[in-house]
Amino acid sequence: MTIHAFSPTRRGFLAGAGLVIGLTLAPKSLFAAEAVKAGGSGDLATLDAFVRIGADDTVTILSKHIEFGQGPFTGLATLVAEELDADWSQMRAVHAPADDKVYANLAFGLQGTGGSSSIANSYAQLRKAGATARAMLVAAAAKEWGVPAAEITVSKGRIAHAASGKESGFGALANKAAQETPPAEPVLKDPKDFVLIGKELPKLDTVAKSNGTAVFTLDVTADNMLIAMVAHPDHFGATVKSFDAAEALKIPGVVDVKQVPQGVAVYANDTYSALKGRAALVVEWDMSKAETRSSNEIAADYAKQFEEQGLEATNRGDVDKAFAEAGAETLEAELVFPFLAHAPMEPLDAVIIKNADGSIDCYNGSQFPGQDKQALSQVLGVDEAKVRVNTQLGGGSFGRRAQFGSPYMREAAEVFKATDGTRPVKHMWTREDDIRGGFYRPIYAHRMKASINAEGQITGWRQSIVGQSIMGKVDLDSTSVEGASNLPYAVENLHVVAHNTQLVVPALWWRSVGHTHTGFAVETFVDELLQKVGKDPVEGRLAMLGNEPRHMGTLKKVAEMAGWGSPVPEGRERGVAVVKSFDTYVAQIVEVSVGTDGLPRVHKVWCAVDCGVAINPNVIAAQMEGGIGYGLGAVLFDEVTLGEGGRIVQSNFHDYRSLRINEMPHVEVAVIASSEPPTGVGEPGVPPIGPAVANAWRRLTGSPVRRLPIVNVVVS
């Protein structure tokens, strides 16, 4: 079987010989299998799983985290290069094989990317891998040259002994270094001696993505490959009652039509024929278990739950007493958040191939490769040892590719299983499948009430949150209340409860998870309270953040950047928000006017971020900018709506809007210097942008934003 558009860098990497270093012993069979698969010799001097040094002096890391734009290839390579004392020009990165033990995310206990955890969980691990490789290279050089190891230096990828004048690159010593015993506890650099960490290094994947040579699943083809597409219902929970494939089978290029658990699959020799064949299907759906309520009806049902006893998340002090105090003023608000689709640029896809020995190869942008491997094994009835998941670059995700039990991979496997297995199958979702495919950020409703005393202090805060448990829990789901139950502001009396709802609409984490709604609710409500008592939005927040120095640091920095308090151009207002998510602190200030369409026009965004040790400021700034654009598009335009009878309304970017280039504001990012352990940046740029815009809008127009997206409020 020939795989076309397979990455030549990865093939060459697996075929070569050299030093492989890491921290947890990897089975040699794992690497041998990968090398054979890629057509290499399998002659690998294998010590471990993370760092490969080739004969040409290149240093390649095996990334346990998928690269879909958030920067782990570059970040993890930086950690290794720093401790290895490599030159940045030597560094390369490829995806690691699927193995939940060898390549476990230390935060999850299995291989996976999510929760903005790639750098946070790998910081010590990958630095130790680089330091270990360096120590073994030095030991090999000392033996080769007959000199004391202590006299050997390493700098910019060159190993040298000044007294003897001997010098070498890494590659010449790699195989000998592979025979050395790795140190149990390699010595790591003092951060003051960092050469690469903290520098703006070019991303490793930028050139390939710019010139079109980067390989995504969509680019992977195989000889005699079928294209498969599944017809899904337009009501969640509906199933196939019957179908007529007669017209579909008349389409030239359509090969077969099969029912699968998820719908009806059309198999064709090319994409266009698969699309036409699917469109020609006649499917009758069984609606007996379908969701038939509209989004508005669901929200109305959620509002009724405010009167019920919820699951207690936080209860300190006496909120009712604070509300009843003489002279206390109160403010109340109810907010509704819509279903949100992830809408990554590359919809879900996978290529599945059955080899002559019965083994399975799968090529996909896998966010949880071990879970995908298990799903393939279970559906296809093939031992996991004979299943290989070959992770490709992903065209975005925002949480979409990370699912409990890998339901998309199970669909792809069911589609493959329904064939005779003799032809490779590329299973593809279209943009319409993606927007209408569920696994949304759920609908949430918030009811909030707070009291303010005569001195203008917030004395009591009650918040009820109604929505699906993303984690599928019956008891309290911390992701539903994160950012509210641990309110950063000093409020003596705080009561936060959650109400879990059950829907057949599948729910999933969306970029920044619970903070997508709690950050908005908290930051708009506190801003409204401060305005009510005539306090400055920045100074008022700072006065309540005395026990939160990193919140204060980002807020002060962003205020300095924006020149807070200076005159604002006529017709514009500024809004501010500060949100901690995934242990990263982000404060943003926006400058907003009323656009010609009556919507908020965001001209400028100032952003300060504290993510601990900054591995690569360039990547951090890019993630903040991307998060701002993504979050701004969502707060202004985005919702997936269930219309009358529960039918899904939206289908593509014409009615599920992305932010357009001319709508992207000018963004300035400041990365705050810190010695704290590094935390993630893939998601934390999203939560503050919505409330900052809403706060500016309220101050500009006098209208608070109680329901998202803003376009619906303004138009209505």
Side-chain angles (χ1 to χ4, degrees), residues 93-117:
V94 296
H95 288 113
D99 192 302
D100 277 338
K101 293 181 179 178
V102 176
Y103 296 110
N105 183 320
L106 302 181
F108 300 161
L110 74 167
Q111 188 176 5
T113 304
S116 296
S117 63

Side-chain angles (χ1 to χ4, degrees), residues 72-123:
F73 273 13
T74 301
L76 300 183
T78 303
L79 300 178
V80 169
E82 181 64 72
E83 296 293 347
L84 182 57
D85 283 313
D87 188 77
W88 187 243
S89 64
Q90 297 174 257
M91 301 306 296
R92 309 286 187 271
V94 296
H95 288 113
D99 192 302
D100 277 338
K101 293 181 179 178
V102 176
Y103 296 110
N105 183 320
L106 302 181
F108 300 161
L110 74 167
Q111 188 176 5
T113 304
S116 296
S117 63
S118 295
I119 293 297
N121 94 96
S122 303
Y123 183 59

Side-chain angles (χ1 to χ4, degrees), residues 343 431-432 435-436 637-639 648-658 660 711:
R431 173 65 56 208
E432 288 78 6
I435 298 295
R436 300 166 68 84
F637 305 116
D638 289 347
E639 68 173 334
I648 309 162
V649 174
Q650 287 76 16
S651 62
N652 208 313
F653 287 135
H654 70 288
D655 54 9
Y656 191 84
R657 270 265 262 129
S658 291
R660 294 170 181 158
V711 64

Side-chain angles (χ1 to χ4, degrees), residues 39 124 169 193 217 269 277 468 515 533 594 596:
D193 297 323
T217 306
N269 292 321
Q468 288 169 274
H515 301 283
V533 296
V594 179
T596 55

Side-chain angles (χ1 to χ4, degrees), residues 59 115 158 220 227 232 241 337 354 374 495 537 551 575 580 682:
V59 179
R158 301 296 295 177
V220 175
I227 302 295
H232 301 101
K241 187 173 184 180
F337 300 84
K354 185 175 182 179
Q374 185 180 73
H495 190 206
H551 277 88
K580 171 192 174 185

Side-chain angles (χ1 to χ4, degrees), residues 63-228:
S63 175
K64 63 182 184 178
H65 296 294
I66 182 176
E67 174 62 77
F68 41 48
Q70 82 285 28
F73 273 13
T74 301
L76 300 183
T78 303
L79 300 178
V80 169
E82 181 64 72
E83 296 293 347
L84 182 57
D85 283 313
D87 188 77
W88 187 243
S89 64
Q90 297 174 257
M91 301 306 296
R92 309 286 187 271
V94 296
H95 288 113
D99 192 302
D100 277 338
K101 293 181 179 178
V102 176
Y103 296 110
N105 183 320
L106 302 181
F108 300 161
L110 74 167
Q111 188 176 5
T113 304
S116 296
S117 63
S118 295
I119 293 297
N121 94 96
S122 303
Y123 183 59
Q125 186 181 46
L126 270 294
R127 285 181 64 197
K128 286 180 180 178
T132 297
R134 183 187 189 282
M136 295 172 76
L137 285 165
V138 167
K143 287 183 179 178
E144 178 81 3
W145 300 337
V147 301
E151 295 179 4
I152 292 175
T153 60
V154 185
S155 177
K156 293 186 177 181
R158 301 296 295 177
I159 306 168
H161 182 252
S164 65
K166 294 184 182 294
E167 185 176 326
S168 174
F170 292 165
L173 293 165
N175 284 323
K176 292 180 179 177
Q179 309 307 313
E180 295 293 326
T181 301
E185 289 295 332
V187 178
L188 301 181
K189 288 183 179 180
D190 187 306
K192 67 179 177 58
D193 297 323
F194 285 162
V195 175
L196 298 175
I197 290 176
K199 301 297 188 294
E200 292 197 355
L201 304 171
K203 291 180 69 175
L204 295 182
D205 53 326
T206 297
V207 172
K209 287 179 177 177
S210 300
N211 65 22
T213 58
V215 177
F216 298 82
T217 306
L218 200 63
D219 302 311
V220 175
T221 61
D223 295 337
N224 203 30
M225 185 175 75
L226 286 169
I227 302 295

Side-chain angles (χ1 to χ4, degrees), residues 6 66-67 95 215-217 220 363-366 390-394:
F6 191 81
I66 182 176
E67 174 62 77
H95 288 113
V215 177
F216 298 82
T217 306
V220 175
Y363 299 85
N364 71 307
S366 182
N390 307 280
T391 301
Q392 307 299 296
L393 293 171

